[in-house]
Amino acid sequence: MIASTLTKIFGTSNERVIKRMGPMVEQTGFLEPATQALSDDELRAKTLEFRARIAARLEGIDDAEERVAEEKVVLNEICPRPSP
């Protein structure tokens, strides 16, 4: 009974995840027209650019935990950001 009441108030865990991801999904949608305008070769070049950015930031980092942390930073820089 308590669990169902809490679910009604706060939503299910999936609903909370969807709500949290909503702004990023919206921002990604804004990027769609520009991305669709790119040719296949331009998209491949973007992928290579992203991989190069990640590799450059990870160069010289030997500690596995530090590499993972730095990779997350770079990926967050590349990913679209929700508008404030």
Side-chain angles (χ1 to χ4, degrees):
M1 171 118 170
I2 293 175
S4 66
T5 303
L6 290 175
T7 299
K8 287 179 183 178
I9 294 171
F10 297 108
T12 65
S13 62
N14 286 339
E15 290 169 340
R16 290 190 303 272
V17 168
I18 290 169
K19 184 176 181 179
R20 188 177 67 240
M21 294 179 74
M24 186 179 287
V25 171
E26 185 177 330
Q27 183 65 26
T28 303
F30 289 129
L31 298 173
E32 185 176 6
T35 304
Q36 283 181 333
L38 297 175
S39 69
D40 288 347
D41 289 336
E42 291 169 324
L43 284 172
R44 284 186 197 96
K46 275 286 191 201
T47 300
L48 293 175
E49 173 192 333
F50 293 150
R51 287 180 180 165
R53 284 173 62 180
I54 294 168
R57 292 282 288 271
L58 298 179
E59 190 174 319
I61 300 175
D62 296 326
D63 181 64
E65 289 181 20
E66 191 177 341
R67 285 181 68 83
V68 169
E70 189 63 27
E71 189 173 74
K72 286 180 182 179
V73 170
V74 176
L75 291 173
N76 282 330
E77 291 172 0
I78 292 172
C79 288
R81 291 279 156 242
S83 301

